Amino acid sequence: MTKQERGARTRHALIRSAAELFERHGYARTRLAEISSDAGVSPGALHFHFRNKAAVADAVEAAAARTLRDAAYRTARRRPNALQTLTDISHVFAFMLSQDVVVRAGFQLGHDTVRCPGLDLRQEWEDCVGQLLDRARKEGSLAEGVPLGPLTATVVAATTGFEVLGRTDGKWLSRHSLTGFWQLLLPLVATSQALSTLAPDGAGSVADESLLIPEEFVPEPGP
Amino acid sequence: MTKQERGARTRHALIRSAAELFERHGYARTRLAEISSDAGVSPGALHFHFRNKAAVADAVEAAAARTLRDAAYRTARRRPNALQTLTDISHVFAFMLSQDVVVRAGFQLGHDTVRCPGLDLRQEWEDCVGQLLDRARKEGSLAEGVPLGPLTATVVAATTGFEVLGRTDGKWLSRHSLTGFWQLLLPLVATSQALSTLAPDGAGSVADESLLIPEEFVPEPGP
């Protein structure tokens, strides 16, 4: 292993350990010493990578954003249809939230009252939903008279609810729950022609392992 | 003012001050000394009412639960129809969340990772939604083939999303947002006969001041 690879591996271990501690104890109660000790790393090594706790939180959020954006990009590329893309991305994100503590912590940190605001993954998600539904309208797959604003708000609110409720009860992030939601909503909002091609269960998007490969250890420069 | 009334007033001021601090800094970072000082009360008076910070949090949660249950009860009593009751209660709760820091803190405390679990207002809300939709089915106002489980999950997830997103952006708790949600959902789930009688905007439920009177200073025994 090169020195760069070792550095990236250490950084990755610190981000994961921080995400676990933020989730368990909250940002305010997590101490830097715990992050390094849980990662099996010396305090000096932590300080080589991160100036302070806020910098670690920024890195957790950035890692979550990279994972989610990459999955969204790859899902969108495989789907010609905006409604199916939205359905698939929601399934992929729910799966990632249920499996990946960094993704969960990334969402939570954006709304931690103690921390200075960093990235806002919920706002990014809202923009993504809005853009995809706007594309669906342009593609002609939204039924006549479906109002874009309330539809976007409903999808954003419901998926945010699945994320938040899923923190204490995993059933909310199951494929079954998301499928039930889309089975209810899609017949209301899609034209009957579009509906016949849509798969509310995400059409195997989660089963496709290429979307879910673990984060790579891409070497990054130190501070 | 009797001694009992003074005691109740002090207790109320402490609960309000605690709710504000929990919301602003989180449960973990709030100190008892701040709660008493912000309430304009001596530390001794605080300790007369509450053994420790956990007891204050329990009282915030209980006060929020009382306010919400009372509003739900009074809304339900005025509506013969379960779907309209559900719509109205969601409007009343959104209004209360936007106006009352004790109600907001009550919801948040139930999912504070640091605190031992107390009441769970979200679980109560889930039960309430499930019961009302079950009643709507029995009343014959749910359209043929609408699955009760996914419908309940969708309403719970979306309203939880409105609550969580409303913490950082008040527009999510506006009457406009809730009305858009029900305007979208009700035509899908209600029979056309039921639909003709339903008001997605809550039919003036929030405008009715009798539902929104401030919490009374009911004297309660000390510890």
Side-chain angles (χ1 to χ4, degrees):
Chain A
M1 209 189 308
T2 68
K3 199 174 162 187
Q4 267 205 323
E5 282 166 345
R6 264 202 309 280
R9 205 169 274 255
T10 301
R11 196 172 186 280
H12 182 79
L14 287 164
I15 287 173
R16 196 177 171 79
S17 147
E20 275 164 10
L21 288 159
F22 292 156
E23 181 176 59
R24 203 168 335 130
H25 305 305
Y27 174 74
R29 296 235 301 192
T30 296
R31 289 176 306 116
L32 277 177
E34 292 171 299
I35 297 174
S36 53
S37 130
D38 280 16
V41 161
S42 73
L46 185 150
H47 282 288
F48 174 79
H49 287 281
F50 302 109
R51 212 172 50 254
N52 50 31
K53 191 165 74 172
V56 188
D58 290 346
V60 169
E61 224 168 33
R66 265 200 314 277
T67 303
L68 293 165
R69 286 174 197 152
D70 183 51
Y73 173 77
R74 287 195 276 169
T75 306
R77 216 174 38 175
R78 294 148 34 105
R79 297 284 169 208
N81 166 327
L83 277 183
Q84 189 65 57
T85 302
L86 179 58
T87 306
D88 289 8
I89 292 180
S90 75
H91 276 284
V92 171
F93 281 14
F95 183 80
M96 285 177 161
L97 280 163
S98 72
Q99 300 291 317
D100 188 339
V101 68
V102 175
V103 171
R104 283 198 298 277
F107 266 101
Q108 277 181 267
L109 281 165
H111 289 259
D112 191 291
T113 46
V114 173
R115 197 175 147 246
C116 288
L119 280 171
D120 187 339
L121 294 182
R122 289 211 186 117
Q123 184 59 54
E124 258 188 58
W125 172 237
E126 189 177 338
D127 297 344
C128 171
V129 173
Q131 283 160 20
L132 284 168
L133 288 173
D134 193 48
R135 239 185 66 204
R137 156 129 311 156
K138 285 171 185 148
E139 288 169 4
S141 33
L142 284 194
E144 191 78 8
V146 170
L148 214 51
L151 175 58
T152 305
T154 297
V155 172
V156 170
T159 47
T160 300
F162 283 114
E163 176 230 321
V164 172
L165 295 161
R167 284 185 213 157
T168 39
D169 183 350
K171 78 160 192 250
W172 289 96
L173 293 172
S174 71
R175 191 166 180 199
H176 181 77
S177 293
L178 263 284
T179 301
F181 169 68
W182 289 115
Q183 271 170 342
L184 192 73
L185 197 72
L186 288 174
L188 169 74
V189 302
T191 61
S192 52
Q193 200 192 348
L195 192 60
S196 67
T197 71
L198 292 173
D201 66 354
S205 50
V206 172
D208 180 350
E209 286 175 15
S210 75
L211 280 172
L212 304 167
I213 50 167
E215 199 189 329
E216 288 152 277
F217 301 121
V218 183
E220 288 187 39
Chain B
M1 209 188 308
T2 67
K3 197 175 162 188
Q4 267 206 324
E5 280 167 347
R6 265 203 308 280
R9 203 168 275 255
T10 301
R11 197 172 185 279
H12 181 78
L14 287 164
I15 286 174
R16 197 179 169 78
S17 148
E20 275 163 10
L21 288 159
F22 291 157
E23 181 175 60
R24 204 170 332 131
H25 305 304
Y27 174 75
R29 296 237 301 194
T30 296
R31 289 175 306 117
L32 275 178
E34 293 170 298
I35 297 175
S36 54
S37 129
D38 280 16
V41 161
S42 72
L46 186 149
H47 281 288
F48 173 77
H49 286 282
F50 301 109
R51 210 172 51 254
N52 51 29
K53 192 164 73 169
V56 188
D58 289 347
V60 169
E61 224 169 32
R66 265 201 311 278
T67 304
L68 293 165
R69 285 175 197 153
D70 184 51
Y73 174 78
R74 288 195 276 168
T75 306
R77 215 174 38 177
R78 294 147 33 106
R79 298 283 169 209
N81 166 327
L83 276 182
Q84 189 65 56
T85 302
L86 179 57
T87 306
D88 289 9
I89 291 180
S90 75
H91 277 283
V92 171
F93 281 13
F95 183 80
M96 285 176 161
L97 280 163
S98 73
Q99 300 290 317
D100 188 340
V101 69
V102 176
V103 171
R104 283 198 297 280
F107 266 100
Q108 278 181 266
L109 281 165
H111 289 261
D112 192 291
T113 45
V114 173
R115 198 175 147 245
C116 288
L119 280 172
D120 187 340
L121 293 182
R122 290 210 187 117
Q123 184 59 54
E124 257 188 58
W125 172 238
E126 189 179 337
D127 296 343
C128 172
V129 173
Q131 283 160 19
L132 283 169
L133 289 173
D134 192 49
R135 238 184 67 203
R137 157 128 312 157
K138 285 172 187 149
E139 288 169 4
S141 34
L142 284 194
E144 191 78 7
V146 170
L148 213 52
L151 175 58
T152 305
T154 296
V155 172
V156 170
T159 47
T160 300
F162 283 113
E163 176 230 321
V164 172
L165 294 161
R167 284 184 214 157
T168 40
D169 183 350
K171 79 160 194 252
W172 289 96
L173 292 172
S174 71
R175 191 166 178 198
H176 181 78
S177 293
L178 263 284
T179 301
F181 168 68
W182 289 114
Q183 271 171 343
L184 191 73
L185 196 71
L186 289 174
L188 169 73
V189 302
T191 61
S192 52
Q193 199 192 349
L195 192 61
S196 66
T197 71
L198 293 173
D201 66 353
S205 51
V206 171
D208 181 350
E209 288 175 16
S210 75
L211 280 173
L212 303 167
I213 49 166
E215 198 187 330
E216 290 152 275
F217 300 122
V218 183
E220 287 187 38

